[in-house]
Amino acid sequence: MLAKAARELSSSKLKPLISLSLSSFRSSTWTETNTSNRSKSPFLLLPPRYSSTNVPPLTRDGNYNDATPSTVSVCPGCGVHMQNSNPKHPGFFIRPSSIEKQNNFLSLRNLVPISQEPELIDSIKHGLILEPNSSDINPETGSSDLNPKDDETGRPLVCARCHSLRHYGRVKDPTVENLLPDFDFDHTVGRRLGSASGARTVVLLVVDASDFDGSFPKRVAKLVSRTIDENNTAWKEGRSGNVPRVVVVVTKIDLLPSSLSPTRFEQWVRQRAREGGLSKITKLHFVSPVKNWGIKDMVEDVAAMAGKRGQVWAVGSQNAGKSTLINAVGKVFGGKVWHLTEAPVPGTTLGIVRVEGVLPFEAKLFDTPGLLNPHQITTRLTREEQKLVQISKELKPRTYRIKEGYTVHIGGLMRLDIDESSVDSMYVTVWASSSVPLHMGKKENAYKTLEEHFGTRLQPPIGEKRVEEMGKWVRKEFRVSGSSWDASSVDIAVSGLGWFAIGLKGNAVLGVWTHEGIDLFLRDSLVPQRARTFEDSGFTVSKIVAKADRDFNKTHKEETQKKRRSNKKSTSDSVSDRESCQEVSL
């Protein structure tokens, strides 16, 4: 009966019973060790779909090393080693369903009647077996689909994490990447930069223009500066000395106000880089990958420095914009498009990615994982909160004319108090994401503002519970001075958020509040201009404040109605009691 039913089925209704070729079937499944199992069960024993032996080692080394085995596939989006054995491990990938359908359709031409294979047991001779192409079989494991290939659009397949970031803007399961060890910059990149021999080295120090101090990698700058000094001395003494070239790339300049002077900005950047530990800058470039500003000039300079066989390392803090920059470089140079994953999420790149075909000759370009700055406020925020503070369009100033005894809040993350001032008033300009609401009020009411509005009208953090999770609220004092009413003199910046620009003609003592462990910087003003109109006291107009007001009004209305119903009920009960008493007395 089973054989008759199988013969009557059309080829379109037949489903492949197994996904192994006959050769691999005989060599891997039907071994002598399985003889006892074969005799006990009339059914085919299939290998498990997921096997722990197929999971690559947890590492962030990517494919920067030429010695990386060819059998190890690296995600072209983030640099993590790919595998299809365990969805709970980093690097898991799934082929698109359209590819699977196409492969299944094409494979119908390779269907072989099982009855032609005398080695197989009689109980399954009446079906069909799918024989995949030999190129789809992994020689190490004997299973198929372990190495990702290009899809039908020519784009390389990426891991599930990159797919989620690209299509949904979030990581589906953030706990998976926690299994990866911390990126050891000194071990992987640092020792190569410090080597006195080897290929010529160019370091692309990528810094976010809208968060310069928060994204400037001070540790790398000091390491490279020390290497330059040591190898330069060795070279002068006739010994081997590979002196790295340092190219500082300030990206996202489209986010800064268009009124900013390029000459002044260059001087400001060089000063901040020196104070950050970088002793020598070979070249300085201002670029915008989104607007395609400055990319071509930067590529030409880097290619000339790298030579025919040099190595170029893109280094920067998390979410500084390295991957976006390299993708833009690929588009400009020879029209080659790379597919590094871009997302407004810190830590998008997980491993070192060797980018092929972007630089001429045999020069190599490497994208490295973003360096974690634990003192950056974004490391404390959730994904939704990070979206609020993320600067995605040109910054606009919001200016207050403020007196001693008043305070200004940037969301629930930063507060500026005017404690003492030698002048009647001063100008405070806030440079931060327009999605973050502001508030100006009296200093004596600051604690009440924190208690009543943090997590609701003043976000981030989002929710009262998150206010407690953010950590202790601490104060740091700054003494500032200025010589002009017309321009800001100094900035007080918070790493990962924005800054206050102070304009005054005199002296002042300022108290700045933020969460414990977050970096604060006092610096010369980046943008001296202020807004032409001033903000009023109270909350700024924003979607967050409007939503909080609606929620408050709705809750207040519900409580009022509930109270009225309660009063009406108690009045009705009282009347009923009096009527009952009158009846009893009668």
Side-chain angles (χ1 to χ4, degrees):
M1 293 295 292
L2 181 62
K4 181 178 179 181
R7 285 193 296 269
E8 291 176 353
L9 288 174
S10 64
S11 60
S12 61
K13 295 181 180 180
L14 290 175
K15 296 183 179 180
L17 298 178
I18 59 175
S19 60
L20 295 175
S21 66
L22 292 178
S23 58
S24 62
F25 175 86
R26 287 191 296 267
S27 61
S28 61
T29 307
W30 296 98
T31 59
E32 294 298 329
T33 57
N34 287 331
T35 305
S36 58
N37 291 335
R38 182 175 59 191
S39 62
K40 292 180 181 179
S41 173
F43 299 103
L44 178 64
L45 298 177
L46 298 178
R49 182 178 179 185
Y50 303 114
S51 171
S52 61
T53 58
N54 295 331
V55 179
L58 297 177
T59 176
R60 292 180 184 262
D61 288 352
N63 62 347
Y64 78 98
N65 197 332
D66 292 331
T68 302
S70 58
T71 56
V72 176
S73 297
V74 174
C75 175
C78 67
V80 71
H81 287 180
M82 295 182 73
Q83 51 86 21
N84 71 341
S85 301
N86 191 338
K88 293 298 183 181
H89 275 243
F92 181 73
F93 77 97
I94 303 175
R95 286 184 177 276
S97 57
S98 60
I99 299 297
E100 293 177 354
K101 291 178 181 178
Q102 182 181 8
N103 287 342
N104 288 340
F105 174 78
L106 294 176
S107 64
L108 291 175
R109 296 176 299 180
N110 298 325
L111 292 176
V112 179
I114 292 182
S115 58
Q116 294 180 5
E117 299 295 329
E119 296 87 354
L120 300 181
I121 55 180
D122 294 337
S123 59
I124 62 172
K125 280 185 178 180
H126 301 288
L128 293 175
I129 184 169
L130 183 64
E131 191 174 65
N133 296 327
S134 59
S135 59
D136 293 335
I137 301 299
N138 187 296
E140 298 293 329
T141 63
S143 60
S144 61
D145 279 354
L146 285 183
N147 290 320
K149 299 179 181 180
D150 294 354
D151 62 17
E152 72 275 12
T153 64
R155 294 175 299 184
L157 297 179
V158 296
C159 68
R161 177 181 178 274
C162 284
H163 178 83
S164 181
L165 282 172
R166 293 179 178 191
H167 294 277
Y168 307 106
R170 61 183 177 85
V171 178
K172 186 175 181 180
D173 187 0
T175 60
V176 171
E177 58 197 74
N178 293 337
L179 298 174
L180 289 169
D182 292 336
F183 176 57
D184 191 344
F185 177 86
D186 292 337
H187 174 74
T188 53
V189 183
R191 63 179 182 177
R192 285 179 172 255
L193 300 182
S195 175
S197 59
R200 184 183 299 179
T201 303
V202 179
V203 181
L204 286 182
L205 217 58
V206 183
V207 190
D208 184 348
S210 62
D211 184 26
F212 189 92
D213 292 285
S215 63
F216 187 82
K218 293 183 179 180
R219 185 163 61 92
V220 176
K222 293 175 181 177
L223 170 65
V224 174
S225 297
R226 185 169 61 251
T227 302
I228 290 174
D229 293 339
E230 293 175 354
N231 291 1
N232 196 31
T233 301
W235 182 77
K236 289 180 180 179
E237 294 175 353
R239 295 182 285 115
S240 177
N242 181 9
V243 181
R245 282 80 167 167
V246 181
V247 180
V248 175
V249 182
V250 183
T251 187
K252 306 181 186 179
I253 62 169
D254 56 295
L255 301 180
L256 297 180
S258 55
S259 59
L260 182 62
S261 166
T263 303
R264 187 182 186 281
F265 185 45
E266 179 179 349
Q267 295 173 350
W268 186 91
V269 168
R270 290 185 180 275
Q271 177 185 347
R272 296 305 298 166
R274 282 195 300 269
E275 293 176 0
L278 188 59
S279 60
K280 184 178 180 180
I281 300 176
T282 309
K283 282 285 186 178
L284 174 61
H285 284 275
F286 302 137
V287 303
S288 169
V290 176
K291 302 288 187 178
N292 200 23
W293 296 343
I295 301 295
K296 186 176 180 181
D297 291 341
M298 184 203 71
V299 172
E300 292 175 352
D301 279 346
V302 169
M305 292 181 202
K308 294 184 177 181
R309 299 184 179 180
Q311 294 184 348
V312 182
W313 297 86
V315 181
S317 296
Q318 290 186 354
N319 214 33
K322 301 182 305 302
S323 299
T324 305
L325 175 66
I326 292 176
N327 284 339
V329 168
K331 294 176 184 178
V332 171
F333 193 87
K336 182 175 179 61
V337 180
W338 199 252
H339 298 281
L340 296 172
T341 298
E342 305 171 25
V345 175
T348 301
T349 304
L350 298 179
I352 299 175
V353 182
R354 182 170 61 199
V355 183
E356 304 284 0
V358 174
L359 296 176
F361 305 108
E362 297 181 19
K364 299 173 183 176
L365 174 61
F366 299 92
D367 185 22
T368 62
L371 302 174
L372 176 64
N373 180 2
H375 305 292
Q376 204 169 23
I377 205 164
T378 48
T379 60
R380 308 275 184 94
L381 304 181
T382 64
R383 301 295 191 195
E384 291 301 315
E385 292 166 348
Q386 288 170 357
K387 291 178 182 179
L388 292 178
V389 302
Q390 182 77 26
I391 300 172
S392 56
K393 56 185 179 181
E394 182 179 328
L395 283 166
K396 301 294 182 183
R398 290 180 282 180
T399 302
Y400 293 94
R401 187 172 181 176
I402 190 170
K403 301 187 297 183
E404 180 181 318
Y406 279 77
T407 184
V408 178
H409 287 87
I410 302 181
L413 301 177
M414 186 180 185
R415 183 181 109 203
L416 174 71
D417 295 343
I418 313 298
D419 292 336
E420 299 177 17
S421 177
S422 63
V423 292
D424 291 337
S425 62
M426 65 180 67
Y427 299 103
V428 175
T429 301
V430 176
W431 296 94
S433 168
S434 59
S435 300
V436 179
L438 310 179
H439 178 270
M440 185 185 79
K442 291 184 178 180
K443 179 181 171 183
E444 60 193 46
N445 297 328
Y447 181 77
K448 183 179 179 182
T449 302
L450 188 155
E451 288 290 318
E452 296 182 357
H453 302 301
F454 273 34
T456 54
R457 289 180 176 85
L458 288 176
Q459 295 181 12
I462 301 175
E464 297 178 359
K465 182 180 179 181
R466 287 284 299 129
V467 176
E468 299 177 359
E469 296 173 351
M470 286 292 293
K472 189 178 179 181
W473 191 244
V474 296
R475 176 183 180 276
K476 187 174 181 180
E477 185 174 286
F478 294 92
R479 296 180 178 272
V480 301
S481 61
S483 57
S484 174
W485 294 110
D486 300 326
S488 299
S489 302
V490 295
D491 292 342
I492 301 177
V494 165
S495 179
L497 176 63
W499 67 94
F500 289 111
I502 313 298
L504 77 163
K505 195 172 184 178
N507 304 308
V509 178
L510 309 176
V512 180
W513 294 77
T514 189
H515 296 280
E516 188 175 23
I518 302 301
D519 277 342
L520 292 170
F521 305 94
L522 180 65
R523 66 192 190 190
D524 290 339
S525 184
L526 169 59
V527 186
Q529 293 85 0
R530 62 171 182 258
R532 294 181 179 180
T533 58
F534 301 142
E535 301 288 339
D536 296 326
S537 60
F539 294 98
T540 55
V541 178
S542 70
K543 293 180 180 179
I544 292 175
V545 175
K547 183 179 183 301
D549 288 341
R550 287 196 301 269
D551 293 342
F552 175 80
N553 292 334
K554 182 179 179 181
T555 303
H556 180 69
K557 184 178 179 180
E558 291 175 351
E559 290 177 351
T560 302
Q561 292 176 347
K562 185 177 180 180
K563 188 176 181 180
R564 287 176 180 174
R565 286 195 297 269
S566 178
N567 292 337
K568 187 176 181 180
K569 182 179 179 181
S570 41
T571 302
S572 176
D573 292 343
S574 178
V575 172
S576 300
D577 291 342
R578 287 199 300 270
E579 291 177 350
S580 299
C581 291
Q582 291 175 357
E583 291 177 358
V584 171
S585 61
L586 291 174

